[in-house]
Amino acid sequence: MQKIKKTYKFAIKTSLYLTILLTLLTSVFLYVTSGSSWYILLFVIPFGLMAFIIIQYRVERFIYRRVKKIYDDLTLLESTSLTKHPITTDMATLTKEIDKFAKDKKLEIETLKVREEYRKEFLGNVSHELKTPLFTVQGYLLTLIDGAIDDKKIRKRYLERANKGVERLIYIVKDLDMITKLEVGDLSLNKEHFDIVELVQNVFDLLEMKAAKKKITLTFDMVYSKPIMVNADRERIQQVLTNLIVNSIKYGSEKGTTEISIENLIKNKVIVRVTDNGEGIAKEHLKRIFERFYRVDKSGSRKEGGSGLGLSIVKHIIEAHDERIYIESEVGVGSEFSFSLEKAE
């Protein structure tokens, strides 16, 4: 049995109180004037019903007009969560809807605040990344314009340095362009079957000299005597491996090790792990490590170079393959980046 609506309860109780009060007053009046009041009972039930109907109607109209004014006046209530339902005069239901609406709006506002902070930080980072090479190039060119161009040795050296600054700008712009294409789905993947072990070895060969400068050893965790075939975009996965290994060299300990392991994850997946014994990453940075231009080192130092987009590109490429990337790290121990790939059938 459904519960009686609260407006009905209110009308019933109010009409009952009025009926009892009016009956008592009328009975006393009739008893005093005529000495009899028993026939007033004939009017009790009709009066009670009429009182209930009038009160119920007036209460509903009273609430409806005011609730409708709330719906009409508050522009915030243009939310589909409220307008797509008929206006209700039940205060419990209305209160529940308003409370839900307020919570949703609060969450929306908080999300917008986070996005606004991210936008400001991102624009600041872009400005900083572009400003450094731009000012460097400008400084060398202004020095040449001021007369240094007449000295052949200085002219050649400064032009070479200005060219490096321009190359860095091009590098940053290309990386930003790639991320944008990956995000909007404009960068198509050319999937093929290839041996991931061979690809890792190729990347090792390319980065051997870079690793040697810090006396870092690039190695597999074991001897892979058989090929491990995967289905992915070879060029993009090579870029992923290159970015991760370069990152491990940059922040790895001198005379350290960067180790690659390839394991079966599930029946049709493998997981590739890139592990180093470098400085590691604090927990508070792990959630943001894949953001564009996000750097753990807040000092603003760019001594290690790079565009600040490497890990963001890695994440986007892996997600474009419908795969996932993971990170585990401990300060002073090292970091491990791992990502899944589809096995070739």
Side-chain angles (χ1 to χ4, degrees):
M1 183 178 180
Q2 294 183 345
K3 292 182 179 180
I4 300 175
K5 289 175 64 175
K6 286 190 176 181
T7 51
Y8 289 169
K9 286 183 178 179
F10 173 81
I12 290 171
K13 286 183 179 179
T14 305
S15 59
L16 181 61
Y17 294 153
L18 287 174
T19 302
I20 292 172
L21 179 62
L22 187 61
T23 300
L24 288 173
L25 291 174
T26 306
S27 298
V28 171
F29 175 77
L30 290 174
Y31 182 77
V32 171
T33 56
S34 62
S36 177
S37 61
W38 63 269
Y39 54 86
I40 192 63
L41 297 175
L42 297 175
F43 299 95
V44 170
I45 294 176
F47 178 81
L49 288 174
M50 289 178 64
F52 168 76
I53 293 170
I54 293 170
I55 291 169
Q56 176 64 24
Y57 175 77
R58 291 300 302 155
V59 166
E60 284 200 343
R61 294 302 302 170
F62 176 82
I63 294 174
Y64 179 83
R65 283 199 301 270
R66 279 152 183 77
V67 169
K68 188 175 186 302
K69 192 172 187 306
I70 292 173
Y71 275 88
D72 292 341
D73 291 349
L74 295 180
T75 56
L76 286 176
L77 297 185
E78 291 174 359
S79 167
T80 55
S81 62
L82 287 175
T83 56
K84 68 182 180 183
H85 298 298
I87 296 174
T88 176
T89 57
D90 182 66
M91 298 310 292
T93 303
L94 180 63
T95 302
K96 186 177 179 181
E97 285 188 7
I98 295 293
D99 185 56
K100 182 179 181 300
F101 174 78
K103 287 179 179 177
D104 290 344
K105 284 298 175 185
K106 183 180 178 182
L107 180 62
E108 185 178 333
I109 290 169
E110 288 175 352
T111 302
L112 288 173
K113 284 181 178 179
V114 170
R115 288 179 180 176
E116 177 63 14
E117 286 298 317
Y118 175 77
R119 185 189 67 82
K120 289 179 180 178
E121 185 177 340
F122 173 69
L123 289 176
N125 286 333
V126 171
S127 174
H128 184 81
E129 295 290 342
L130 296 178
K131 179 174 64 178
T132 303
L134 276 172
F135 285 176
T136 300
V137 172
Q138 185 185 44
Y140 287 130
L141 293 178
L142 287 175
T143 303
L144 292 171
I145 291 170
D146 289 341
I149 195 169
D150 296 328
D151 188 321
K152 290 184 179 181
K153 290 183 179 180
I154 293 177
R155 180 174 61 198
K156 183 179 180 183
R157 185 166 69 249
Y158 277 24
L159 286 174
E160 286 175 349
R161 290 179 180 178
N163 184 59
K164 285 183 179 179
V166 173
E167 285 178 351
R168 176 166 168 74
L169 283 170
I170 293 171
Y171 182 52
I172 292 171
V173 171
K174 280 184 177 179
D175 280 356
L176 275 173
D177 181 58
M178 177 178 289
I179 288 177
T180 303
K181 287 180 178 178
L182 284 165
E183 285 180 339
V184 299
D186 285 348
L187 193 66
S188 58
L189 298 176
N190 181 26
K191 288 190 174 183
E192 59 180 303
H193 294 180
F194 62 90
D195 180 9
I196 187 67
V197 176
E198 180 188 0
L199 185 64
V200 171
Q201 187 58 59
N202 290 344
V203 176
F204 279 172
D205 294 340
L206 290 171
L207 299 176
E208 185 178 12
M209 292 183 66
K210 188 177 186 68
K213 290 180 181 179
K214 289 185 70 173
K215 299 180 181 178
I216 289 176
T217 303
L218 305 179
T219 183
F220 285 101
D221 65 320
M222 57 177 282
V223 176
Y224 291 91
S225 56
K226 295 181 180 179
I228 299 176
M229 304 301 292
V230 296
N231 182 36
D233 187 317
R234 182 188 177 96
E235 184 180 344
R236 300 302 171 199
I237 297 304
Q238 178 168 329
Q239 188 173 9
V240 167
L241 288 166
T242 301
N243 286 357
L244 290 178
I245 294 172
V246 165
N247 214 52
S248 73
I249 294 170
K250 283 181 183 179
Y251 302 105
S253 301
E254 194 167 342
K255 298 182 181 179
T257 302
T258 295
E259 182 182 271
I260 305 290
S261 65
I262 306 163
E263 305 168 13
N264 288 321
L265 185 61
I266 53 178
K267 185 177 179 181
N268 63 332
K269 301 279 185 182
V270 296
I271 187 163
V272 181
R273 304 182 190 276
V274 181
T275 309
D276 66 62
N277 53 0
E279 59 191 55
I281 305 166
K283 286 184 179 180
E284 61 265 26
H285 299 299
L286 293 180
K287 289 183 179 179
R288 302 190 61 191
I289 199 69
F290 294 107
E291 290 180 14
R292 285 177 280 188
F293 297 115
Y294 186 80
R295 293 181 186 268
V296 173
D297 180 11
K298 297 299 181 183
S299 65
S301 172
R302 296 295 182 267
K303 63 181 181 179
E304 297 293 351
S307 66
L309 297 167
L311 289 179
S312 184
I313 289 173
V314 164
K315 182 175 183 289
H316 280 86
I317 290 175
I318 294 301
E319 289 181 349
H321 283 78
D322 294 324
E323 302 293 345
R324 295 187 65 184
I325 185 164
Y326 312 88
I327 177 174
E328 292 181 13
S329 189
E330 186 176 342
V331 175
V333 176
S335 304
E336 179 183 280
F337 289 86
S338 56
F339 59 91
S340 58
L341 286 176
E342 181 186 359
K343 280 185 183 179
E345 294 179 358

